[in-house]
Amino acid sequence: MSLSFQSLSLKTLQRVASRQTRLFTTAIPGPSSETGGAGIGNVESRLLPSMNDAELFKHCKYPRTTSIIGAPMTYGQPFVGTDAGPSLLRERGLRNILTSLGWRVEDLPDLDFDPEQFSGSVDPPNARNCSLVAHGSEILADTVESKLRKGQFPLVLGGDHSIGIGSLTGILRVIPDIGIIWVDAHADLNTPATSGSGNMHGMPIGLLLDHTEENAVDFSKLPGFEFLVDGPRISPDQIVYIGLRDIDPTERVWLRDYGIKAFTMYDIDHFGIGQVMDMAFEHLYKGNPNRPLHISYDIDAVDPVLAPATGTKVRGGLTFREAHFVAEAAAQSGNLASAEIVEFNPTLSDDGGASETLELGEQLISSFMGQSII
């Protein structure tokens, strides 16, 4: 039995109304809240590992170990502050969270993205801080690659989203067919030839995508990126976007022309987040139900009411539960092999908003690292 257009539209409208109710219900502060912002900071969550823990993270060697990799990159966008993300997440007790979820933890010192050696470098057209981003990307790629080869789970803490260049490069060297879940308000599909800003946090997928010849990036002309001249590259069918709502003109064309699977906020309103994730996995698992997965989680995918301390806020994002469901579904797939979370910037909100954004990030990490209600 098929639904009429009218009834389908009503169902979609009801889902949108439900979204707004859930968003603002979650955001109402309790009587004792003094944190400012949306007021979710006073809500506690028990850290309980999944009951089917043995079925999760099956691509990690036993005993299951995660390597925390701090990537304090701030040069992929214009605001100082994203480099504070790794240290602030650690200060909130990240190691204890992970051990309570059953992980053995290797906590590495933050990677050193020292800018001094590049003080005289000249950026190519429309690729700001190119040498600095390239330098950090190569360091991160080597680190992620080494941890994966040891059978560990790289947990990368950003930093702005230009770190995706390095983390994905390291992953692709070890797992060329990795399935990528890119959770973001933006497609990050630009290149220096298409970007309106030149900010490289909007380019990680665009740079690494296996483009047609006319759109291919010449890495020999991007200072510091010579290590990418011979690859690796991402096939358009190995990535799925979740939560898009702010897409540049060329990105729109490429999403369609390359046939990249993308679920916008319209799709989430229309289908619901559960069905969206089912469709995402169906796409990624074609031909291989055990395909390893990587999740790259930009905090700006979440509605700025709940995550105000980030640099490229766009209204109408994921609700609290939708944000967690994406992370939980990735973990419960059993195939998650690596993860990163990016774009915290405590300087772009008041203390209450910064605290709530960080707490949300910490909770999302616990969700994609195996926390479960049952």
Side-chain angles (χ1 to χ4, degrees):
M1 179 179 178
S2 61
L3 292 172
S4 68
F5 174 79
Q6 289 85 355
S7 63
L8 186 60
S9 298
L10 177 60
K11 183 178 180 181
T12 300
L13 288 171
Q14 288 171 334
R15 206 184 292 278
V16 173
S18 174
R19 157 185 299 284
Q20 297 306 319
T21 300
R22 286 182 287 121
L23 175 63
F24 288 103
T25 299
T26 303
I28 294 173
S32 61
S33 175
E34 298 178 356
T35 61
I40 63 170
N42 61 326
V43 180
E44 295 184 1
S45 175
R46 291 188 179 184
L47 288 168
L48 298 175
S50 172
M51 295 288 285
N52 64 334
D53 186 62
E55 300 175 14
L56 306 186
F57 309 106
K58 56 192 177 188
H59 298 288
C60 296
K61 287 184 179 178
Y62 179 83
R64 199 173 69 196
T65 303
T66 183
S67 181
I68 301 174
I69 303 170
M73 176 59 68
T74 190
Y75 307 114
Q77 46 78 59
F79 301 111
V80 172
T82 55
D83 49 333
S87 61
L88 289 172
L89 284 167
R90 286 188 178 94
E91 288 171 9
R92 296 190 70 93
L94 180 59
R95 283 175 291 192
N96 290 337
I97 290 172
L98 295 171
T99 56
S100 70
L101 294 174
W103 289 93
R104 296 179 71 249
V105 177
E106 177 190 39
D107 190 1
L108 301 176
D110 283 355
L111 301 179
D112 184 5
F113 299 151
D114 179 18
E116 291 301 321
Q117 59 185 298
F118 302 103
S119 58
S121 63
V122 178
D123 293 334
N126 220 28
R128 294 184 178 182
N129 301 319
C130 184
S131 296
L132 290 171
V133 173
H135 174 64
S137 297
E138 187 170 17
I139 293 172
L140 179 56
D142 292 344
T143 305
V144 169
E145 177 186 5
S146 69
K147 298 308 172 184
L148 279 173
R149 293 197 185 281
K150 293 178 180 178
Q152 296 179 356
F153 184 107
L155 173 58
V156 184
L157 311 178
D160 66 57
H161 218 165
S162 68
I163 69 167
I165 303 167
S167 58
L168 285 175
T169 298
I171 294 164
L172 290 163
R173 288 172 181 171
V174 183
I175 313 172
D177 192 41
I178 190 78
I180 302 164
I181 304 171
W182 200 265
V183 190
D184 204 322
H186 312 88
D188 298 342
L189 192 51
N190 278 303
T191 68
T194 67
S195 173
S197 67
N199 295 327
M200 300 195 77
H201 74 158
M203 303 185 194
I205 300 299
L207 290 175
L208 293 176
L209 193 70
D210 189 12
H211 285 280
T212 55
E213 185 175 353
E214 64 269 24
N215 298 324
V217 177
D218 185 353
F219 286 101
S220 68
K221 295 181 179 179
L222 293 179
F225 278 107
E226 292 82 5
F227 71 98
L228 285 177
V229 167
D230 297 321
R233 299 290 183 265
I234 299 168
S235 171
D237 65 359
Q238 73 183 103
I239 182 169
V240 171
Y241 286 103
I242 306 291
L244 293 180
R245 59 189 185 277
D246 184 17
I247 307 172
D248 292 336
T250 302
E251 292 177 319
R252 294 183 70 190
V253 173
W254 285 353
L255 285 169
R256 293 179 183 274
D257 288 355
Y258 289 133
I260 297 172
K261 184 65 72 174
F263 295 99
T264 67
M265 291 307 302
Y266 172 86
D267 298 310
I268 293 171
D269 287 337
H270 182 73
F271 294 109
I273 194 62
Q275 190 171 346
V276 162
M277 291 307 294
D278 288 345
M279 291 188 288
F281 291 130
E282 180 182 5
H283 175 79
L284 291 172
Y285 289 158
K286 286 179 182 176
N288 181 10
N290 294 310
R291 184 185 207 175
L293 302 177
H294 168 72
I295 188 168
S296 183
Y297 211 124
D298 190 323
I299 200 69
D300 75 19
V302 185
D303 194 276
V305 169
L306 303 174
T310 189
T312 47
K313 294 184 277 286
V314 187
R315 294 175 64 182
L318 298 173
T319 66
F320 185 85
R321 271 305 309 153
E322 287 167 344
H324 275 278
F325 188 92
V326 172
E328 291 162 355
Q332 294 300 315
S333 74
N335 287 316
L336 197 62
S338 56
E340 68 188 357
I341 192 161
V342 300
E343 294 285 355
F344 303 108
N345 192 332
T347 71
L348 298 180
S349 183
D350 60 18
D351 289 345
S355 178
E356 287 178 0
T357 306
L358 283 165
E359 181 167 358
L360 177 61
E362 174 189 81
Q363 292 169 342
L364 291 173
I365 291 171
S366 68
S367 287
F368 62 62
M369 296 302 283
Q371 182 182 3
S372 178
I373 297 171
I374 296 179

